[in-house]
Amino acid sequence: MTQNTELLRIEELVLYFNSLQGPVQAVDGVNFSLDSNRAVVILGESGCGKSSLAKAILRLLPRNAGTYSGRIYLDGQDVMLFTEEEFRQNIRWASISMVPQAAMNALNPVIRVGEQVAEPAIVHLGVDKAGAISLVRKMFQHVGVPDDFISRYPFELSGGMRQRVAIAMALVTSPNLIILDEPTSALDVLTQANIFNVLKRLKKELGISFILITHDIATSSELADDVAVMYAGQIVEVSDAHRFFDGPQHPYSKKLLASVPRLHGDSEPEFITGRPPSLINLPKGCRFSDRCPSRFEKCVEDPPVIEADGRKVKCWLYS
Amino acid sequence: MSASLAKAVENKEDLRKVLLSIDDLHVWFELRKFGFGHAGYVKAVDGVTFDVHRGETIAVVGESGCGKSSLMKTILGLYKPTKGEIIFDDKNLKDLDTKGMHWYHSHVGYVQQDPYGALPSFMNVKRILEEPLIIGGVKDKEERNQRIRKALEEVKMSPVDDFLPKYPHMLSGGQQQRVVIARAMIMEPKFLVADEPVSMLDASVRVEILKLLRGLQELHHLSVIYITHDLSTVSYFSERIFVMYAGNLVEKAKVRQVLDNPLHPYTVALLTGTSEPDAKNADTYKEIPPGEPPSLVKPPPGCRFHPRCSKAIKGLCEIKEPPDFEPEPGHLVACWLYEK
């Protein structure tokens, strides 16, 4: 195995949104790192802040964003110090690109898909249109879209093909890192499996790293090298995929994995009682403690992150 | 004591009875050119035959565009079949008049896919649940209130008084789906059609709702058709699976038979495509049949799966449509590979 170098390191990333009731603490002190040519999966239920984390990394902040702080090191450089213009020119889509949630439905219906995919290349790489189209042709080959689709309109493509086009659009500037936000949640089983085959091939052939954001635990294992579990704005567990799927540590991860229905075997899936806390009025101490089966006296205090064997878990049980 | 015993015996006898029988059902939609000229048919359901017994749960599995929603809507009486019969409780739907359809609708409950879209945003929970009772002719206000309370308790929305005045947007996704289920159950139907009832929900809530549905099914001895594209949830909810592809049912068998020994190449592909959480998945590619499901306007001749099938037999599969074969008892498969 070759030695991987660190591509991205995130330290104490915070993103709050302003609301009438007070700040919404969507991303609250997130730490993780990603080596090049690896894929990390961010798992969590809806409303846990995982999509906001993606937006925070790419600095795609909505108008009501409040506190935004922390450090994001890309190839050792702290990109949080960049001005908005530097960030746009050098980072967003040039080094890190993204396939947003439901991207396949966000394609412009009156522009041919080839031209839409070419646009980031024209803007960021400064190539002319003909050059960009030839780049698009290459990208379409990578993601498995036939050549003649370049001059088609989005409505002429099936859901799976449109999703591939959205991936090609993220790929065309040859970034080192692609953030995928629920890339297959609206697709059929076979199309889903096909898209994951494409992503695996991209990782192997082009050496791209991925951050995969999803709530679908079963399909996330198709791409994962590492897993980070997010709950109520915080990362509660980080582990390599093999040890995570064999035996998660945090009580929330355990419950989450037990809730996945299996095709074979007789084990009944379980559900997690209660609801995640509101991100406005967060409970003191461990945020999962209300729903946790192994809660004890210490859980009223905020648990530390305990690191052992390269795995991290934010839970008093392991201190 | 003896009364409940008698009821148990009656229930057991009930089990052998067929509640819903569907025979050679075709649902075609006409395509028109410029608004009037005939331009062919969309053959959404093309020759589907099956029986549902009392108290039995059945899963219809297929990808989007395979016709499973058209099948469901025809069973609900929302579409008229082009050809074929639907017989419910020994009555043919064709012969029912308006009053008869009223009777039919009060015996068939419908759980929609998207709870937020299915609940009217301007009605509170009480009003949502009262509506079917008013339409169903329950005149006594006190009785209506009692039935609403009972329905909400059955879907475990307690304390009931807290939820009655709430509007859909004040409820979480799981709670909204519970209201949808309560609404489907309020007329005490014999039969429930659940169209992807959990696909819009979070993984942890999904299991909760499925367990709730199964509890209701057992308690009321309901027959259920569960429509889904997700094979992994099927084994917790149904006794038999029907796999649907391009308007046809290609495999019909008990759940364990299909999951442990799938016969039709399409079912095999669906099972391969379904992931289980396992880190080893990341190291291998999946073998997925090429192409996409065919257009239902001009489906391929012969077996509809043959253009994507790696085991297709030349000179047979693309010419003759396969009938149902029964390679093992109770396991029907429409595929020439199993011709005896």
Coordinates of all heavy atoms in Angstrom, one line a residue, chain B residues 123-155:
Chain B
M123 N -56.3 21.5 7.3 CA -57.1 20.8 8.2 C -56.3 20.3 9.4 O -55.1 19.9 9.2 CB -57.7 19.5 7.5 CG -58.8 19.8 6.5 SD -59.4 18.2 6.0 CE -60.6 18.7 4.8
N124 N -56.9 20.3 10.6 CA -56.1 19.8 11.7 C -56.4 18.3 11.8 O -57.2 17.7 11.0 CB -56.5 20.5 13.0 CG -57.9 20.4 13.4 OD1 -58.6 19.5 12.9 ND2 -58.4 21.3 14.2
V125 N -55.7 17.6 12.7 CA -55.7 16.1 12.7 C -57.1 15.6 12.9 O -57.6 14.7 12.3 CB -54.8 15.6 13.8 CG1 -55.0 14.1 14.1 CG2 -53.3 15.9 13.5
K126 N -57.9 16.3 13.8 CA -59.2 15.9 14.1 C -60.1 15.9 12.8 O -60.8 15.0 12.5 CB -59.8 16.8 15.2 CG -61.2 16.4 15.6 CD -61.6 17.1 16.8 CE -63.0 16.6 17.3 NZ -64.1 17.4 16.8
R127 N -60.0 17.0 12.1 CA -60.8 17.2 10.9 C -60.4 16.2 9.8 O -61.2 15.6 9.1 CB -60.6 18.6 10.4 CG -61.3 19.0 9.2 CD -62.8 19.2 9.4 NE -63.4 19.1 8.1 CZ -64.7 18.9 7.9 NH1 -65.5 18.8 9.0 NH2 -65.3 18.8 6.7
I128 N -59.1 15.9 9.7 CA -58.6 15.0 8.7 C -59.2 13.6 9.0 O -59.6 12.9 8.0 CB -57.0 14.9 8.8 CG1 -56.4 16.2 8.2 CG2 -56.5 13.7 8.0 CD1 -54.9 16.3 8.4
L129 N -59.3 13.2 10.3 CA -59.8 11.9 10.6 C -61.3 11.9 10.6 O -61.9 10.8 10.4 CB -59.2 11.5 11.9 CG -57.7 11.3 12.0 CD1 -57.3 10.8 13.4 CD2 -57.3 10.2 11.0
E130 N -61.9 13.0 10.7 CA -63.4 13.0 10.8 C -64.0 12.9 9.4 O -65.0 12.3 9.2 CB -63.8 14.3 11.5 CG -65.2 14.2 12.1 CD -65.6 15.5 12.9 OE1 -64.9 16.5 12.8 OE2 -66.5 15.4 13.7
E131 N -63.3 13.5 8.4 CA -63.8 13.6 7.1 C -64.3 12.2 6.5 O -65.4 12.1 6.1 CB -62.7 14.2 6.1 CG -63.2 14.5 4.8 CD -63.4 16.0 4.6 OE1 -63.8 16.6 5.6 OE2 -63.3 16.5 3.5
P132 N -63.4 11.2 6.6 CA -63.9 9.9 6.0 C -65.1 9.4 6.8 O -66.0 8.7 6.2 CB -62.7 8.9 6.2 CG -61.7 9.7 6.9 CD -62.0 11.1 7.0
L133 N -65.2 9.7 8.1 CA -66.4 9.2 8.8 C -67.7 9.9 8.4 O -68.7 9.3 8.3 CB -66.2 9.4 10.3 CG -65.1 8.6 11.0 CD1 -64.8 9.1 12.4 CD2 -65.5 7.1 11.0
I134 N -67.6 11.2 8.2 CA -68.7 12.0 7.7 C -69.2 11.4 6.3 O -70.3 11.1 6.1 CB -68.4 13.5 7.6 CG1 -68.1 14.0 9.0 CG2 -69.5 14.2 7.0 CD1 -67.6 15.4 9.0
I135 N -68.2 11.3 5.4 CA -68.5 10.7 4.1 C -69.1 9.3 4.2 O -70.0 9.0 3.5 CB -67.3 10.8 3.2 CG1 -66.9 12.2 2.9 CG2 -67.5 10.1 1.9 CD1 -65.5 12.4 2.3
G136 N -68.5 8.6 5.1 CA -69.0 7.2 5.3 C -70.3 7.1 6.0 O -70.8 6.0 6.3
G137 N -70.9 8.2 6.4 CA -72.2 8.2 7.0 C -72.3 7.9 8.5 O -73.3 7.4 8.9
V138 N -71.3 8.2 9.2 CA -71.4 8.1 10.7 C -72.0 9.4 11.2 O -71.3 10.4 11.2 CB -70.0 7.8 11.3 CG1 -70.1 7.6 12.8 CG2 -69.4 6.6 10.7
K139 N -73.2 9.4 11.6 CA -74.0 10.6 11.9 C -73.7 11.1 13.3 O -73.6 12.3 13.5 CB -75.5 10.4 11.6 CG -75.8 10.1 10.2 CD -76.7 11.1 9.6 CE -76.7 11.1 8.1 NZ -76.9 9.8 7.5
D140 N -73.5 10.2 14.2 CA -73.4 10.5 15.6 C -72.1 11.2 15.9 O -71.0 10.6 15.7 CB -73.6 9.3 16.4 CG -73.6 9.6 17.9 OD1 -73.9 10.7 18.3 OD2 -73.3 8.7 18.7
K141 N -72.1 12.4 16.4 CA -70.9 13.1 16.7 C -70.0 12.4 17.7 O -68.8 12.4 17.6 CB -71.2 14.5 17.1 CG -70.0 15.5 16.8 CD -70.4 16.9 17.0 CE -69.2 17.8 16.7 NZ -69.3 19.1 17.1
E142 N -70.7 11.9 18.8 CA -70.0 11.3 19.9 C -69.2 10.0 19.4 O -68.1 9.8 19.7 CB -71.0 10.9 21.0 CG -70.4 10.6 22.3 CD -69.3 11.7 22.7 OE1 -69.5 12.9 22.6 OE2 -68.2 11.2 23.1
E143 N -69.9 9.3 18.5 CA -69.3 8.1 18.0 C -68.1 8.4 17.1 O -67.0 7.8 17.2 CB -70.3 7.3 17.1 CG -69.8 5.9 16.8 CD -70.6 5.2 15.7 OE1 -71.8 5.6 15.5 OE2 -70.0 4.3 15.0
R144 N -68.2 9.5 16.3 CA -67.1 9.9 15.5 C -65.9 10.3 16.3 O -64.8 9.8 16.1 CB -67.5 11.2 14.7 CG -68.4 10.9 13.5 CD -68.3 11.9 12.4 NE -68.6 13.3 12.9 CZ -69.7 13.9 12.6 NH1 -70.7 13.4 12.0 NH2 -69.9 15.2 13.1
N145 N -66.1 11.0 17.4 CA -65.1 11.4 18.3 C -64.4 10.2 18.9 O -63.1 10.1 19.0 CB -65.6 12.3 19.5 CG -65.7 13.7 19.0 OD1 -65.1 14.1 18.0 ND2 -66.5 14.5 19.7
Q146 N -65.2 9.2 19.3 CA -64.6 8.0 19.9 C -63.7 7.3 18.9 O -62.7 6.8 19.2 CB -65.7 7.1 20.4 CG -65.8 7.2 21.9 CD -67.0 6.6 22.5 OE1 -67.7 5.8 21.8 NE2 -67.4 7.1 23.6
R147 N -64.2 7.2 17.7 CA -63.5 6.4 16.7 C -62.2 7.1 16.3 O -61.2 6.5 16.0 CB -64.3 6.2 15.4 CG -65.3 5.0 15.7 CD -66.3 4.8 14.6 NE -65.6 4.2 13.4 CZ -66.4 3.7 12.4 NH1 -67.7 3.8 12.4 NH2 -65.8 3.2 11.3
I148 N -62.2 8.5 16.3 CA -61.0 9.2 16.0 C -60.0 9.0 17.1 O -58.8 8.7 16.9 CB -61.3 10.7 15.9 CG1 -62.1 11.0 14.7 CG2 -60.0 11.6 15.9 CD1 -62.7 12.4 14.7
R149 N -60.4 9.0 18.4 CA -59.5 8.8 19.5 C -58.9 7.4 19.4 O -57.7 7.2 19.6 CB -60.3 8.9 20.8 CG -60.8 10.3 21.1 CD -61.4 10.4 22.5 NE -60.3 10.7 23.4 CZ -59.9 11.9 23.7 NH1 -60.5 12.9 23.1 NH2 -58.9 12.1 24.5
K150 N -59.8 6.4 19.1 CA -59.3 5.0 19.0 C -58.3 4.8 17.9 O -57.2 4.2 18.1 CB -60.5 4.1 18.8 CG -60.2 2.6 19.1 CD -61.4 1.7 18.9 CE -61.0 0.4 18.3 NZ -61.6 0.0 17.1
A151 N -58.5 5.5 16.8 CA -57.6 5.3 15.7 C -56.3 6.0 16.0 O -55.2 5.4 15.7 CB -58.2 6.0 14.4
L152 N -56.3 7.1 16.7 CA -55.0 7.7 17.1 C -54.3 6.9 18.1 O -53.0 6.9 18.1 CB -55.3 9.2 17.6 CG -55.5 10.2 16.5 CD1 -55.7 11.6 17.2 CD2 -54.3 10.3 15.6
E153 N -55.0 6.3 19.0 CA -54.3 5.5 20.0 C -53.7 4.3 19.3 O -52.6 3.8 19.7 CB -55.3 5.0 21.1 CG -55.4 6.0 22.3 CD -56.7 5.8 23.1 OE1 -57.3 4.8 23.0 OE2 -57.0 6.8 23.7
E154 N -54.4 3.7 18.3 CA -53.8 2.6 17.7 C -52.6 2.9 16.9 O -51.7 2.0 16.8 CB -54.9 2.0 16.7 CG -55.8 1.0 17.4 CD -56.8 0.4 16.4 OE1 -56.7 0.7 15.2 OE2 -57.5 -0.5 16.8
V155 N -52.4 4.1 16.4 CA -51.1 4.4 15.8 C -50.2 5.0 16.8 O -49.2 5.6 16.4 CB -51.3 5.3 14.5 CG1 -52.1 4.6 13.5 CG2 -52.0 6.6 14.9

